[in-house]
Amino acid sequence: MKRFVLATILFLLFVLFVLPAVSQNGEQYMGSTRLPDTRLYYSLDDVYTIAERLGETGRAYYVKQRITFDLVWPIVYSWFFYNAIMIIFSQFDPKSLYITLRWLPILALIFDYLENGLASLVMMTYPSRIDSLARWLPYSSLLKWTFVGLSFISLVIGVLILFIRYSRKKEKEKWAKENQE
């Protein structure tokens, strides 16, 4: 439970303070260009169009963000999702459910790091094209967002199931108490 509380506090601090600051700071270097890691899917040509639009300064800033902020942020959100899934789904039978679901945030983390590495390589080597590697960038983004989304959806469903169970239990207790009188 301590890990879940710590992960939640860290996640909220990032969402409320760090992400807005990083986003605002990034706008001065990269403008309003939609970056690869904020999209669900895009083409290989889109990647190189983004690299062109960012310019040399924007690309350098983008790479710096991937090897600083984007090393930490995926750990923060994955740790939060992992702990939340473990707390919620460990209360269900069969236990294999939470053992399976806990892999969702881990896979999101792996594909986020793959996406960051590939995007950084594209930005560092631009204007040269490294299509043999870059072609995997859109797929890594799609898979990252898929596993982030599935992590979130599983949490919502888990919380709803716990709420329904709790409500039914309270209803049964109330009914039993009324019938004893």
Side-chain angles (χ1 to χ4, degrees):
M1 186 64 147
K2 284 188 238 180
R3 276 189 252 158
F4 172 69
V5 171
L6 184 59
T8 302
I9 291 169
L10 194 57
F11 179 78
L12 290 173
L13 287 172
F14 261 75
V15 168
L16 295 173
F17 301 107
V18 177
L19 287 176
V22 167
S23 179
Q24 185 178 12
N25 194 31
E27 283 182 23
Q28 70 184 13
Y29 293 101
M30 298 181 291
S32 60
T33 303
R34 278 197 67 212
L35 303 172
D37 52 348
T38 63
R39 298 175 178 205
L40 182 61
Y41 190 77
Y42 44 87
S43 70
L44 186 57
D45 289 334
D46 292 337
V47 174
Y48 289 106
T49 301
I50 292 166
E52 175 66 31
R53 283 187 190 152
L54 288 177
E56 193 172 325
T57 305
R59 287 190 303 273
Y61 181 80
Y62 181 84
V63 170
K64 179 183 174 195
Q65 286 302 103
R66 299 302 73 77
I67 59 176
T68 54
F69 166 76
D70 242 359
L71 282 178
V72 178
W73 170 236
I75 292 171
V76 170
Y77 76 73
S78 296
W79 192 43
F80 166 73
F81 281 135
Y82 181 88
N83 281 287
I85 286 170
M86 294 298 284
I87 291 277
I88 291 169
F89 286 95
S90 66
Q91 299 176 41
F92 299 152
D93 284 324
K95 298 291 185 210
S96 61
L97 182 63
Y98 84 90
I99 290 170
T100 302
L101 290 176
R102 70 181 177 182
W103 283 99
L104 295 173
I106 294 169
L107 290 167
L109 173 75
I110 290 167
F111 285 109
D112 200 339
Y113 281 156
L114 179 62
E115 173 193 59
N116 293 340
L118 291 171
S120 294
L121 282 172
V122 168
M123 298 302 165
M124 289 187 301
T125 60
Y126 187 84
S128 297
R129 291 180 65 110
I130 52 168
D131 291 358
S132 59
L133 288 175
R135 78 177 49 150
W136 298 106
L137 180 55
Y139 299 110
S140 62
S141 294
L142 177 62
L143 289 168
K144 172 192 80 173
W145 286 114
T146 298
F147 288 115
V148 167
L150 289 172
S151 295
F152 180 76
I153 289 167
S154 68
L155 285 182
V156 170
I157 290 170
V159 167
L160 287 174
I161 291 170
L162 286 178
F163 179 75
I164 290 167
R165 282 183 173 182
Y166 177 78
S167 297
R168 285 185 179 168
K169 181 181 174 186
K170 288 296 181 188
E171 224 174 86
K172 284 180 184 179
E173 289 172 0
K174 180 181 175 186
W175 184 82
K177 186 177 179 182
E178 288 173 358
N179 286 331
Q180 285 178 355
E181 296 172 353

